[in-house]
């Protein structure tokens, strides 16, 4: 049936009419062992305005529904009408969700490794209504109590720990204590024959769960995960003046799940994050960031929740900022800022210079519109702006303001005004100009260096007029043999389009934002450009080199540097970089520049340059595994592949990379693929085998991979991996039909919810065999026929591809 998306004015009206007292939800999972049915009986108690009328959300099939004992009409467009409310009301609705393969809210997964069944729920932003009846808006928070009947061999996990478990006919019943008041997108129920590991730390009972076929991976990573979890809980509890208020804190790794979700006390993850090989250092950095991001949501989003989706950034930008803050201060990952500079921050810079740019805080008319802003502006740009705010008011003051904010608003809902008010009171500063400039204005400034007769000038060009108010650091670097020595630095307060720079000596390179304390793209002067492109390895610190590479990448994306220059600069940095959380993404950027941004006539030569950098890393013992992957991905023949095979030894991950590159070069060794799949204990090894075939320049192989992606045979957590194998350089002839195939698929890419919409729209977008006219056609069709989440994701991704297309044509 068609389903309506909640409008903000409807949410305001409903919140004025009623207040939810509690949810008691009885769930029957016994039908999921052998079938698709997820059954729930939701008892909702709420107070209301006597005699008023409203509606409750329900997109599952309704088996029975009563309000205060009286039967209710059938749901229309995902809503059940509620008439003649009493002051105290009891709503009881029994539902069944039968589409637990591709439907929303509830998912049933079968592990291909042993045929065990696992079930999970996930609800952001408004998918709880597909599982049970509820008032599905963030400001109608209430305690949730779950009683779950499941097969006897299953373990059930929910937000509250320490359930009471008893044997009943047909299985076991798990009774969980009521949660604190939570928004409807925040509860969770997961179940299956999990492997479970537990550890006490800092007064908390920490739990880790995964499917049985991934027991060895979970056990391998458990000590590190327990350590990171304990470090994060201690850091946030101290900084926010509020320890996490529940004893249990569980993390569940799930098959066929997309991303990660911050359910209170029970974070759910795609189990692809449990690497089937020993994780690299950069992979552990990602793991750490996501773990701390979801943990930060316990405070930003769960304990205190935005009133409406226009303040989504209060959840996501704060969690993204806080995860990097905690990683640098509380864990072993002290170079997180540099890692971010050559990763997510690049995406934010690009997004804020194109049609996907929008204010961090903006009107969100409907929940469907909210799905379109889970993007690079809300996340990495929002995080960068909050980092700048903390520097502006001072870290101690920032922490005092946040502690007051949580103390005042715990278990309630807030808006931007509440947060700014807390920080203004703590700092004694008027933050309204900062709020207007940074949260309510779109676009990124361009900062540069200019030499005048009077001295150095910092130039600042705003995207839509005057530049943002900000303080930026500038470092001066002078050649000393092969080194670039820092000979001075200064903080400059941007007061307009031109600001005099004082107290910096003569230098060969003036690096703007050298300390990464603001969000702005930067440019060197003409002499500095030559240093930045030809010898960034001379810079003395990892952070300075990362700032330099962020500048070079932005120049590439704006056609102010060639792919050859970008590859040259990145490989020069790799000749000295030893911080693996920076070396690995720089190596990936270099390969991306060679394969996606370079003209076809230059690609092979630039790939060879990247391969040389990878060989240096192998010899230096820096990021060896990632470097060997790169050598496989740049091999030009059997001799190169044999060298990688020899160094790979028994490493199955690297053997898959060798087979994939061999297929890309035109030789799919079917027997070797089958043999490796049989030897690989990974239950998802069939996906690696599909990637090998997808890499082949074979029309049949491309059709197989494309069909598996759009028909959702490939789990959403693996979609980007298969799509990357599908879109390979030098295969334009066989890939040519898929630009149109992509456009044809646009109206259906959001089927199954926000996560498939985001993942498939971005990963399937044509990287090759498309021109500017094709990009524009995709945008027009999406705008006319696709859901907002697809339009938003396509707009951001298409801008990156459009710039690749233009740069390849230079």
């Amino acid at each position: 049936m068609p389903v309506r998306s909640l409008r903000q004015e409807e949410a305001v009206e409903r919140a004025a009419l009623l207040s939810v007292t509690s949810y008691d939800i009885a769930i029957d999972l016994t039908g999921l062992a052998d079938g698709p049915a997820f059954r729930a009986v939701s008892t909702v108690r709420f107070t209301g305005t006597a005699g008023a009328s409203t509606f409750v959300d329900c997109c599952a099939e309704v088996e029975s529904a009563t309000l205060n004992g009286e039967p209710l009409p059938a749901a229309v467009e995902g809503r059940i009408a509620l008439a003649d409310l009493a002051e105290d009301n009891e709503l009881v609705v029994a539902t069944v969700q039968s589409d637990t393969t591709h439907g929303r809210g509830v998912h049933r997964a079968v592990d291909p490794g042993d045929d065990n069944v696992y079930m999970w729920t996930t609800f952001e932003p408004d998918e709880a209504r597909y599982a049970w009846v509820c008032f599905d808006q963030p400001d109608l928070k209430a305690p949730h109590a779950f009683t779950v009947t499941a097969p006897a061999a299953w373990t059930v996990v929910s937000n509250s720990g320490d359930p009471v478990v008893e044997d009943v006919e047909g299985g076991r019943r798990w009774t969980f204590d009521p949660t604190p008041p939570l928004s409807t997108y925040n509860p969770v129920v997961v179940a299956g024959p999990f492997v479970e590991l537990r550890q006490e730390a800092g007064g908390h009972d920490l739990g880790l769960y995964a499917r049985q076929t991934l027991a060895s991976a979970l056990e391998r990573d458990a000590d590190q995960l327990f350590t990171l979890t304990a470090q994060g809980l201690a850091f946030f509890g101290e900084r926010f003046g509020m320890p996490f208020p529940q004893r249990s804190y569980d993390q569940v790794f799930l098959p066929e799940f997309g991303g990660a979700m911050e359910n209170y006390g029970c974070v759910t993850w795609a189990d692809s994050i449990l690497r089937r090989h020993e994780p690299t250092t950069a992979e552990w950095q990602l793991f750490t960031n996501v773990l701390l991001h979801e943990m930060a949501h316990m405070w930003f989003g769960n304990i205190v929740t935005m009133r409406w989706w226009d303040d989504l950034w209060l959840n996501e930008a704060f969690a993204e900022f806080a995860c990097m803050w905690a990683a640098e201060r509380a864990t072993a990952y002290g170079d997180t800022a540099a890692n971010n500079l050559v990763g997510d921050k690049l995406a934010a810079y690009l997004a804020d210079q194109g049609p996907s740019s929008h204010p961090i805080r903006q009107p969100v008319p409907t929940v469907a519109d909210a799905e379109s802003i889970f993007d690079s502006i809300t996340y990495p740009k929002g995080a960068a702006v909050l980092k700048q705010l903390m520097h502006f008011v001072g870290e101690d003051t920032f922490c005092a303001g946040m502690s007051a904010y949580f103390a005042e608003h715990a278990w309630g809902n807030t808006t931007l005004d509440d947060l700014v008010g807390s920080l203004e009171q703590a700092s004694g500063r008027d933050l309204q100009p900062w709020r207007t400039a940074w949260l309510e204005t779109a676009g990124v400034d361009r900062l540069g260096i200019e030499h005048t007769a009077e001295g150095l000038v910092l130039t600042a060009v705003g995207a839509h007029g005057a530049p943002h108010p900000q303080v930026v650091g500038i470092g001066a670097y002078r050649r000393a043999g092969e080194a670039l020595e820092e000979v001075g630095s200064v903080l400059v307060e941007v007061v307009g389009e031109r600001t005099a720079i004082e107290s910096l000596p003569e230098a060969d390179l003036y690096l703007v934002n050298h300390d990464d304390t603001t969000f702005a793209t930067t440019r060197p002067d003409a002499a500095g450009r030559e240093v930045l492109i030809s010898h960034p390895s001379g810079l003395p610190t990892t952070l300075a080199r990362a700032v330099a590479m962020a500048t070079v990448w932005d120049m590439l994306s704006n056609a102010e540097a060639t792919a050859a220059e970008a590859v040259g600069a990145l490989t020069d940095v790799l000749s000295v970089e030893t911080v693996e959380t920076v070396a690995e993404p720089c190596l990936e950027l270099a390969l991306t520049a060679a394969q996606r941004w370079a003209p076809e006539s230059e690609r092979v030569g630039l790939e060879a340059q990247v391969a040389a950098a990878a060989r240096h890393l192998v010899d230096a013992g820096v990021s060896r595994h990632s470097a060997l992957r790169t050598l496989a991905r740049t091999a030009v023949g059997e001799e190169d592949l044999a060298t990688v095979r020899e160094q790979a030894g028994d490493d199955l991950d690297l053997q898959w990379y060798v087979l994939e590159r061999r297929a890309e070069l035109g030789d799919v060794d079917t027997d070797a693929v089958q043999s490796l799949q049989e030897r690989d204990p990974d239950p998802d090894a069939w996906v690696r085998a599909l990637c090998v075939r997808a890499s082949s320049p074979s029309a049949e192989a491309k059709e197989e991979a494309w069909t598996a992606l759009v028909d959702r045979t490939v789990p959403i957590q693996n979609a980007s991996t298969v799509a990357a194998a599908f879109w390979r350089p030098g295969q334009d002839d066989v890939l040519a039909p898929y630009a149109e195939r992509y456009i044809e698929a646009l109206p259906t890419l959001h089927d199954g919810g926000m996560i498939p919409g985001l993942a498939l729209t971005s990963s399937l977008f044509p990287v090759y065999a498309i021109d500017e006219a094709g990009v524009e056609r995709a945008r027009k069709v999406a705008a006319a026929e696709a859901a907002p989440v697809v339009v938003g994701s396509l707009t951001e991704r298409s801008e990156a591809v459009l710039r690749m297309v233009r740069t390849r044509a230079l």
Side-chain angles (χ1 to χ4, degrees), residues 29-241:
L29 302 180
T30 56
L32 283 174
D34 300 307
F38 173 94
R39 297 184 179 277
V41 178
S42 181
T43 300
V44 189
R45 296 176 180 87
F46 64 99
T47 59
T49 303
S53 298
T54 187
F55 62 90
V56 71
D57 302 292
C58 187
C59 299
E61 178 186 346
V62 176
E63 296 185 321
S64 65
T66 62
L67 174 64
N68 301 326
E70 297 297 322
L72 290 170
V76 177
E77 296 184 312
R79 298 175 175 186
I80 300 174
L82 305 178
D84 193 23
L85 297 182
E87 291 186 1
D88 293 292
N89 302 272
E90 183 176 88
L91 173 69
V92 181
V93 181
T95 57
V96 58
Q97 162 65 294
S98 296
D99 184 5
T100 50
T101 300
H102 298 301
R104 299 187 182 212
V106 183
H107 187 78
R108 175 184 185 270
V110 180
D111 187 342
D114 60 8
D115 294 327
N116 274 325
V117 174
Y118 296 86
M119 164 270 157
W120 45 261
T121 66
T122 192
F123 297 144
E124 193 168 25
D126 64 343
E127 295 183 2
R129 58 190 177 143
Y130 289 85
W132 48 72
V133 73
C134 59
F135 295 102
D136 212 348
Q137 63 187 71
D139 59 340
L140 289 177
K141 299 174 77 168
H144 288 68
F146 292 102
T147 303
V148 184
T149 304
W154 287 15
T155 297
V156 181
V157 190
S158 186
N159 306 88
S160 304
D162 298 322
V164 174
V165 184
E166 54 189 322
D167 294 329
V168 297
E169 184 177 352
R172 289 195 293 174
R173 179 182 297 128
W174 301 67
T175 302
F176 295 86
D177 286 340
T179 69
L182 298 177
S183 294
T184 47
Y185 73 85
N186 204 238
V188 67
V189 174
V190 298
F194 293 110
V195 173
E196 176 184 4
L197 302 175
R198 306 206 71 84
Q199 186 174 105
E200 293 278 332
H204 293 288
D205 177 23
L206 310 181
L208 301 173
Y209 298 82
R211 49 178 155 152
Q212 292 183 21
T213 51
L214 295 182
S216 60
L218 185 68
E219 291 164 358
R220 178 199 64 208
D221 294 345
D223 284 348
Q224 176 96 319
L225 291 174
F226 283 133
T227 296
L228 291 167
T229 303
Q231 289 170 331
L233 288 171
F235 179 85
F236 290 136
E238 188 273 328
R239 290 301 196 276
F240 299 150

Side-chain angles (χ1 to χ4, degrees), residues 479-599:
R479 287 184 183 272
E482 290 298 307
L484 287 167
E485 292 184 347
E486 183 177 328
V487 292
S489 64
V490 66
L491 292 175
V492 178
E493 183 175 356
V494 176
V495 295
E497 294 183 352
R498 300 177 65 80
T499 305
I501 303 172
E502 299 178 356
S503 305
L504 278 185
E506 288 291 324
D508 296 298
L509 171 66
Y510 296 99
L511 191 62
V512 181
N513 197 27
H514 76 133
D515 50 0
D516 186 40
T517 54
T518 194
F519 182 84
T521 62
T522 65
R523 292 294 185 271
D525 58 12
R529 183 189 191 281
E530 190 277 329
V531 176
L532 202 65
I533 293 292
S534 66
H535 194 53
S537 62
L539 288 164
T541 67
T542 292
L543 183 62
R545 291 189 290 271
V547 169
M549 291 306 92
T551 301
V552 169
W553 194 263
D554 190 66
M555 291 165 63
L556 171 67
S557 67
N558 281 279
E560 298 171 28
T562 65
E565 288 178 318
V567 170
L570 286 157
T571 53
D572 183 63
V573 163
L574 288 167
S575 70
V576 300
E577 191 57 70
T578 59
V579 175
E580 293 187 338
T581 56
V582 175
E584 290 181 40
C586 281
L587 186 60
E588 185 64 28
L589 285 174
L591 186 57
T592 300
Q595 294 189 335
R596 296 193 168 187
W597 292 79

